[in-house]
Amino acid sequence: MTVTIKTPQQIEKMRVAGRMAAEVLELIGDHVRPGVTTAELDRICHRHITEVQNAIPACLNYKGFPKSICTSINQVVCHGIPSEKKVLKDGDIINIDVTVIYQGYHGDTSKMYLVGKVPSHAQRLVNITQECLYKGIDLVRPGTRLGDIGHAIQQHAQKNYYTVVKEYCGHGIGTVFHEEPQVLHYGKPDTGMELREGMTFTIEPMVNAGKPQTRLKADGWTVETRDGRLSAQWEHTLAVTANGVEVLTARNEENFDTKG
Ligand code: MF3
Ligand code: CO
Ligand code: CO
């Protein structure tokens, strides 16, 4: 039942780990195209993390997960397993989720990629889901409560006739991959834990085009939408600063105000 508050020295290590995870998402983009297998994407990320960054891919062997990244295509909500049999095709949307451990600290981030020419309804789901993440991040500062964040995310999804997945959530992160608090992507304003400077956690909304319910596949990992419709997810690792937020996994293509 304890949330860890990180020192500036610990946050510096998380900054390095976060930058490494972001860099993996930046470099894999050029490889995400029709015809590539998700196993090939996994190999490229694994090699970069272990041989260039001298870091550890946190997902590999985590609770028995067999690969270094998660690759979740179309109706897959999260935790898709890279495979030689999964070949990307024109029109797919795919989430790639990368977690790197450097000097014991985790950086966890994911983004959506469009494969070839994607239908506009799928592009719209991807964009609105990213806006949901950004609306959550915008609220992060000391004094905000977790319910405020969940509420903002849920409202934006529902305003666009989408639904939020409730079975999976964001999480505290540091030397432990998944620690307290749980960061729900739905909720009520003025409820839940109050944020404090030095907290580090993820926000990672999963938004469905259809119904919110999910189903776990027989492989024990892959989570799909029950109705088979599309799902999207974006994730960042964040630190609460004195006045706002630092996005530890920001990519160069993004532009965040530094409220810290
Ligand atoms: N990176 C995921 C998260 O955002 C966790 C993946 S766990 C794995 O929390 F075992 F599936 F890799
Ligand atoms: Co996470
Ligand atoms: Co993740």
Side-chain angles (χ1 to χ4, degrees):
M1 272 297 286
T2 40
V3 170
T4 59
I5 297 296
K6 278 77 177 180
T7 64
Q9 292 74 22
Q10 292 171 320
I11 291 190
E12 175 53 28
K13 290 185 178 177
M14 294 207 50
R15 199 174 278 128
V16 177
R19 175 89 282 275
M20 286 180 173
E23 181 183 78
V24 175
L25 292 185
E26 286 169 352
L27 75 88
I28 201 64
D30 285 342
H31 301 273
V32 179
R33 44 188 157 66
V36 76
T37 66
T38 52
E40 177 66 8
L41 299 175
D42 176 70
R43 276 191 292 274
I44 295 164
C45 294
H46 179 89
R47 207 177 306 124
H48 189 80
I49 294 166
T50 57
E51 294 176 17
V52 179
Q53 297 179 330
N54 292 311
I56 298 169
C59 292
L60 185 60
N61 301 320
Y62 177 76
K63 297 185 178 177
F65 190 81
K67 295 287 180 182
S68 295
I69 60 172
C70 296
T71 50
S72 302
I73 305 168
N74 296 339
Q75 80 288 351
V76 177
V77 172
C78 62
H79 304 164
I81 304 173
S83 159
E84 305 290 354
K85 286 185 283 195
K86 284 266 174 302
V87 182
L88 296 187
K89 60 182 194 305
D90 191 62
D92 284 344
I93 59 171
I94 179 175
N95 174 279
I96 299 182
D97 193 336
V98 174
T99 309
V100 164
I101 310 173
Y102 188 73
Q103 293 189 3
Y105 285 83
H106 292 72
D108 183 9
T109 185
S110 79
K111 70 168 277 189
M112 298 297 300
Y113 298 84
L114 307 175
V115 183
K117 189 169 158 40
V118 167
S120 59
H121 69 91
Q123 279 184 41
R124 185 169 170 278
L125 173 68
V126 165
N127 292 341
I128 300 290
T129 305
Q130 186 177 34
E131 289 170 14
C132 286
L133 170 60
Y134 288 166
K135 283 181 184 289
I137 292 173
D138 267 345
L139 291 172
V140 175
R141 71 181 77 84
T144 296
R145 299 178 69 172
L146 287 175
D148 301 328
I149 293 171
H151 180 75
I153 291 168
Q154 182 178 28
Q155 282 298 117
H156 192 61
Q158 291 179 354
K159 192 177 87 187
N160 287 284
Y161 306 100
Y162 295 142
T163 61
V164 166
V165 170
K166 295 201 169 61
E167 294 94 331
Y168 302 89
C169 59
H171 50 92
I173 185 168
T175 58
V176 175
F177 192 169
H178 297 103
E179 64 180 25
E180 290 192 46
Q182 290 196 70
V183 180
L184 304 181
H185 303 115
Y186 59 93
K188 292 184 172 50
D190 280 312
T191 66
M193 182 183 296
E194 199 172 292
L195 301 183
R196 289 166 52 197
E197 183 179 357
M199 285 175 61
T200 53
F201 60 89
T202 72
I203 302 179
E204 48 184 296
M206 287 143 275
V207 174
N208 293 352
K211 294 193 164 68
Q213 284 78 20
T214 64
R215 172 175 85 107
L216 184 63
K217 290 194 80 174
D219 63 22
W221 282 105
T222 308
V223 178
E224 293 188 328
T225 57
R226 247 177 206 278
D227 63 11
R229 293 183 65 186
L230 293 178
S231 186
Q233 179 177 31
W234 295 78
E235 174 176 27
H236 273 308
T237 298
L238 311 165
V240 183
T241 63
N243 322 295
V245 61
E246 180 176 343
V247 181
L248 299 173
T249 48
R251 296 180 302 282
N252 290 326
E253 70 197 15
E254 295 177 300
N255 223 332
F256 292 105
D257 301 344
T258 32
K259 287 181 277 180

